[in-house]
Amino acid sequence: MEVIRQAGAIRSLVQALRCSGKQIGFVPTMGALHQGHLALLRASAGQNDVTICSIFVNPTQFNNSDDYKLYPRTLTQDIELLEAAGCDYLFAPDQEEIYPQQPLLQFSFGPLEAVMEGEHRPGHFNGVATVVSKLFHIVHPHRAYFGQKDLQQVAIVKQLINGLSFDVELVRYPIVREADGLAMSSRNKRLSPEQREVATSLYKALQLARAQLLQQPVASIKATVAAYLASINQLTPEYFEIAHPDTLQPVAEVRDVQEVALCIAAFVGPVRLIDNILVNLNRL
Ligand code: PAF
């Protein structure tokens, strides 16, 4: 696998590959790779001739400076994992390469960014949209792979692609979980063994809610989940939402829809985690 640091070098490479008829798959990441990322890479390798991964811890999407400073950075190990997973090229730019000037463009995603992650992390999706736009322009892939764990990010990128007519196919890939249900995340690396145990409560809360979807009104499901989360030490819930799977707007009555997204965010100690499940109500 070749590691490329310069945007110009990736651009020329992709131009040549496209001229020779190759299909390019792209997996954008912030590194600290885990099995969830590797599943995206394998999906890309199965559907494209060439797979490019990027690793760039994007400062503009962090609304909390500690979260940015403490975000795990494990490039040497990541390179080994990418090589073993059959990735063809890694684009690993430094900050100057992506942001030669202070980014001033502002994105607006309307109601989609007014809820959940958008509501609790002001500026986050502006930073995501900025860097994803830049990466799409630089890497110019046919397909881009995003994990469902960041469900709202997937919806934002979909809106970005449509809004700016990017010629990129968005592929959403299911969440990869540990054996006990914890959704894989780079931030899990920051959990102590005790916090790692506590972190399974997010998935348990989602399962608790799922079991009540056809039995209880939305308000009482939310109350049950809130009571469950409040009973757990070292866990500070941020939100639990029953949302429409595409618009991500809160659902008032479950009987009005066919499918819902159950979404949760909580701090475990100092580490903020998110998770979600999609539930088809006809299959409950
Ligand atoms: O999901 C991530 O890792 C990041 O938000 C992304 C898409 C690489 C943009 O920085």
Side-chain angles (χ1 to χ4, degrees):
M1 182 185 70
E2 194 180 333
V3 181
I4 298 177
R5 303 265 178 194
Q6 310 299 326
I10 275 278
R11 270 189 227 276
S12 317
L13 169 81
V14 171
Q15 211 171 359
L17 288 168
R18 280 180 158 256
C19 280
S20 60
K22 303 285 189 216
Q23 293 281 307
I24 316 291
F26 177 45
V27 181
T29 81
M30 298 204 297
L33 301 181
H34 50 68
Q35 288 301 323
H37 295 115
L38 299 183
L40 299 178
L41 283 152
R42 280 194 292 271
S44 170
Q47 293 174 342
N48 301 279
D49 302 306
V50 174
T51 290
I52 302 175
C53 177
S54 67
I55 293 184
F56 178 65
V57 184
N58 173 36
T60 64
Q61 71 186 72
F62 286 83
N63 59 314
N64 173 322
S65 57
D66 276 350
D67 193 25
Y68 175 63
K69 270 190 252 140
L70 297 172
Y71 199 85
R73 288 155 171 92
T74 55
L75 189 60
T76 311
Q77 202 184 320
D78 290 347
I79 290 175
E80 283 167 18
L81 287 171
L82 289 171
E83 276 173 343
C87 180
D88 299 295
Y89 297 96
L90 169 63
F91 178 44
D94 65 16
Q95 210 165 305
E96 265 291 292
E97 192 65 19
I98 297 293
Y99 295 116
Q101 291 114 28
Q102 174 88 352
L104 296 173
L105 278 180
Q106 292 291 317
F107 292 82
S108 172
F109 294 96
L112 187 52
E113 66 176 344
V115 293
M116 299 194 289
E117 293 302 285
E119 182 185 357
H120 290 271
R121 301 184 67 189
H124 170 63
F125 286 127
N126 193 62
V128 169
T130 303
V131 80
V132 169
S133 302
K134 282 172 174 274
L135 290 169
F136 282 175
H137 282 303
I138 294 168
V139 177
H140 197 190
H142 293 90
R143 290 179 198 86
Y145 295 77
F146 290 83
Q148 185 202 308
K149 187 174 73 66
D150 295 295
L151 187 66
Q152 199 171 0
Q153 170 171 277
V154 176
I156 290 280
V157 173
K158 192 171 170 192
Q159 198 166 310
L160 180 74
I161 288 175
N162 292 337
L164 292 180
S165 306
F166 278 108
D167 189 14
V168 180
E169 183 189 331
L170 172 64
V171 182
R172 185 181 81 190
Y173 199 82
I175 297 181
V176 180
R177 298 184 180 280
E178 304 282 358
D180 59 7
L182 177 66
M184 296 216 180
S185 163
S186 303
R187 288 184 174 85
N188 294 349
K189 292 192 166 73
R190 292 182 50 206
L191 298 169
S192 68
E194 197 189 333
Q195 290 164 348
R196 168 68 186 73
E197 274 302 303
V198 173
T200 59
S201 318
L202 274 79
Y203 186 58
K204 288 181 188 148
L206 294 177
Q207 293 303 328
L208 182 66
R210 182 181 192 276
Q212 298 193 357
L213 275 176
L214 296 183
Q215 272 83 51
Q216 301 290 334
V218 163
S220 88
I221 299 173
K222 286 187 174 180
T224 305
V225 169
Y228 168 68
L229 295 174
S231 71
I232 295 162
N233 275 337
Q234 286 214 59
L235 187 139
T236 314
E238 204 165 63
Y239 63 77
F240 164 73
E241 197 53 81
I242 302 180
H244 186 282
D246 300 321
T247 65
L248 295 178
Q249 300 308 297
V251 165
E253 279 306 331
V254 166
R255 66 167 177 271
D256 298 342
V257 285
Q258 302 243 318
E259 194 182 22
V260 288
L262 306 181
C263 303
I264 190 165
F267 282 89
V268 176
V271 184
R272 186 176 185 279
L273 299 176
I274 58 173
D275 197 355
N276 68 80
I277 55 174
L278 294 168
V279 186
N280 184 326
L281 298 161
N282 298 324
R283 294 209 200 116
L284 267 183

